[in-house]
Amino acid sequence: MVLTRERNTLDHAIWPATARATPDGDVAVGGVRLSDIAERYGSPVHVMDELDVRQRCREFRSAFPDAEIAYAGKAFLCRAMARWIAEEGLALDVCSAGELAVARSVRFPAERILMHGNGKTPEDLRAALSYGVSRIVLDCASEITRLAALVSADRPAQRVLIRVAPGVDGHTHPAVATGGEDQKFGFSLASGVAAEAVRRVLAQPGLVLTGLHCHIGSQITSVTAYQQAARRMADLLAAVQDEHGLVLPQLDLGGGFAVPYLRDQHGLDPLTLAEPLLTTLRSACEVRRVPMPRVTLEPGRAISARAGVTLYRVLGIKHTATGRVFVTVNGGMSDNPRPSLYGARYSMRLVGRHAVPGHRSVTVAGRHCEAGDVLVEDAELPADLRPGDLLASASTGAYHHSMASNYNLVPRPPVVGVRAGESRLLIRRETETDLLLRDVG
Ligand SMILES: *Cc1c(COP(=O)(O)O)cnc(C)c1O
């Protein structure tokens, strides 16, 4: 059999650090063959490369040695992930009592946890106070009074940041653009609402304002957008200093650093960002005569996306009257909603065997009862693809399992961790019994 060698190479911008193509057409991640993982744990299955996660953590820490790097747990969180993040010295963003419960279950240090969210419930806030998370990021006026009311007299004051909408356009998809004025997050800078939020927080004896926060969006490739946000936030730091004589020691510039999902895409590397961003912030602070604050950054996908690979089995291949070829797999929008939510694009690769030469463009469709349940519109897959084949989708470590649903009452896939030739179950596959347990009517 002739091997299609050039298609056999793996692009390490989108495949995990330890991924290797094997001579017999398989791919090994963390020293474990993907076809063995599908055999042992079934499919669909998410695979996470522990070493890749740790490597990304180290890249951020060495690019920003003086900054606090807080992993945005919403991208993907489980106990193992929380332990890796803690061991690598990162802080953690949580957005709910549920995410906090996972962090708490592995005793993630409370002094390294921030709680976010534009709609934190009283239960979320109570959970944050009871664990003693170091900072709560306030997002609306009623939350200031709600939190202040929950901080009882015998409790130490709660440290908070104020989330600011800096009016910066990150030039990204509207579903993940969070820096402008016309979206739901934060207090507007331009209209003076953010300055008013500062006054309100300072009037609450139970709250201690330690800094400001902004997050301009996700999948942002532009260094300039972050520089612009840094300058505007420095304006507000200076305004707070002028009005209240208060030096805020922290500035959280959020996450959203782009990662490539396809071979020809570009990400925003921490090393590319660090020098221009920190130089801009330093000089903005100098000009405005405010001390340089300690910077926090909150990468989510930039830590976990590349570490993940999802495996699917081909169920059927269908040729339509219009000439399109649909390849149906045993997963779909319930394990990866991003293509149907906002047109996110992914790659698919045959693993587990060699193909005979010759590829064609096909549409990889999920199993769910919606025409929009398509995982990849235009995948280049071998012409001899057949039912039973195993497909691997790369860069699925962020916003996959964490966004998974039970649509069509399909149980959610497991997450398997790989490292140094060994695999282990991190999250087990959901079962029909799990589904029925909740259905108590
Ligand atoms: C979602 C989010 C992040 C992480 O975004 P990524 O695109 O995954 O890096 C960071 N901070 C906040 C406040 C967020 O909402």
Side-chain angles (χ1 to χ4, degrees):
M1 193 182 291
V2 189
L3 309 183
T4 48
R5 287 230 180 262
E6 108 280 0
R7 288 181 193 272
N8 220 16
T9 59
L10 290 169
D11 178 358
H12 280 281
I14 61 169
W15 283 86
T18 66
R20 300 284 176 268
T22 66
D24 57 354
D26 209 343
V27 171
V29 179
V32 186
R33 300 160 69 92
L34 293 180
S35 55
D36 288 349
I37 290 178
E39 235 8 89
R40 178 164 170 199
Y41 302 96
S43 66
V45 54
H46 297 297
V47 182
M48 284 299 280
D49 180 6
E50 178 178 339
L51 216 76
D52 192 277
V53 170
R54 291 184 184 275
Q55 188 174 315
R56 298 293 279 161
C57 291
R58 286 168 202 177
E59 282 167 18
F60 269 93
R61 289 202 67 199
S62 70
F64 294 93
D66 300 324
E68 175 186 51
I69 307 297
Y71 170 60
K74 69 180 187 203
F76 169 66
L77 196 63
C78 64
R79 294 180 212 251
M81 185 74 184
R83 281 192 207 100
W84 302 340
I85 294 296
E87 285 164 12
E88 294 302 326
L90 270 64
L92 180 69
D93 278 3
V94 298
C95 290
S96 68
E99 288 177 6
L100 182 58
V102 172
R104 189 173 188 153
S105 76
V106 299
R107 300 203 171 87
F108 197 101
E111 65 271 19
R112 280 197 262 150
I113 298 181
L114 293 93
M115 179 173 269
H116 280 285
N118 71 304
K120 299 177 208 71
T121 64
E123 293 74 26
D124 294 331
L125 292 173
R126 262 188 228 110
L129 290 174
S130 108
Y131 194 49
V133 309
S134 76
R135 283 146 291 169
I136 296 176
V137 184
L138 297 168
D139 200 289
C140 74
S142 55
E143 191 175 73
I144 299 174
T145 39
R146 190 173 304 130
L147 179 63
L150 286 172
V151 179
S152 52
D154 55 343
R155 206 190 270 279
Q158 174 63 45
R159 281 169 289 167
V160 298
L161 305 179
I162 288 177
R163 176 159 182 165
V164 176
V168 173
D169 181 0
H171 299 287
T172 186
H173 192 285
V176 292
T178 57
E181 295 287 347
D182 189 25
Q183 48 82 37
K184 69 176 181 173
F185 293 99
F187 297 94
S188 152
L189 181 65
S191 63
V193 176
E196 179 55 28
V198 171
R199 284 174 214 124
R200 286 184 188 213
V201 169
L202 293 179
Q204 293 289 353
L207 306 181
V208 180
L209 183 63
T210 65
L212 303 175
H213 169 274
C214 70
H215 169 71
I216 56 177
S218 280
Q219 203 52 5
I220 290 170
T221 50
S222 152
V223 174
T224 322
Y226 287 102
Q227 289 172 307
Q228 197 182 359
R231 279 191 292 266
R232 294 201 178 167
M233 297 300 279
D235 285 341
L236 187 54
L237 289 175
V240 170
Q241 185 171 294
D242 288 348
E243 184 179 339
H244 307 281
L246 177 66
V247 173
L248 294 176
Q250 295 175 3
L251 179 60
D252 187 333
L253 292 171
F257 318 112
V259 298
Y261 288 96
L262 297 173
R263 213 174 251 275
D264 48 8
Q265 289 175 341
H266 293 284
L268 179 53
D269 195 68
L271 268 181
T272 311
L273 179 67
E275 206 270 330
L277 177 60
L278 294 176
T279 305
T280 298
L281 179 61
R282 212 169 278 122
S283 67
C285 288
E286 237 169 69
V287 169
R288 293 160 183 78
R289 296 175 192 284
V290 289
M292 174 80 174
R294 175 150 197 240
V295 170
T296 298
L297 296 173
E298 308 177 315
R301 71 193 67 221
I303 298 290
S304 62
R306 193 185 62 184
V309 172
T310 303
L311 302 176
Y312 303 97
R313 241 356 129 183
V314 174
L315 295 173
I317 296 172
K318 186 179 284 182
H319 299 253
T320 67
T322 57
R324 193 131 72 126
V325 180
F326 279 101
V327 171
T328 306
V329 296
N330 60 354
M333 65 194 293
S334 61
D335 60 77
N336 180 5
R338 298 186 71 250
S340 40
L341 264 183
Y342 35 79
R345 295 174 65 213
Y346 288 88
S347 63
M348 280 284 175
R349 177 192 174 100
L350 171 70
V351 292
R353 72 169 176 92
H354 276 303
V356 294
H359 281 65
R360 65 179 171 197
S361 178
V362 301
T363 299
V364 179
R367 60 176 295 193
H368 295 282
C369 304
E370 303 231 348
D373 178 27
V374 162
L375 287 170
V376 183
E377 282 285 345
D378 50 355
E380 277 286 302
L381 284 170
D384 72 340
L385 195 73
R386 51 190 184 243
D389 274 340
L390 196 60
L391 295 180
S393 192
S395 286
T396 62
Y399 305 105
H400 287 71
H401 192 272
S402 69
M403 288 181 128
S405 76
N406 287 131
Y407 183 37
N408 289 137
L409 291 183
V410 169
R412 284 170 290 185
V415 181
V416 172
V418 290
R419 177 193 160 144
E422 284 180 19
S423 67
R424 71 186 166 108
L425 204 53
L426 304 183
I427 300 177
R428 70 160 169 80
R429 184 181 302 283
E430 204 166 33
T431 63
E432 281 156 22
T433 312
D434 291 327
L435 301 179
L436 287 167
L437 272 173
R438 297 179 60 233
D439 189 338
V440 295

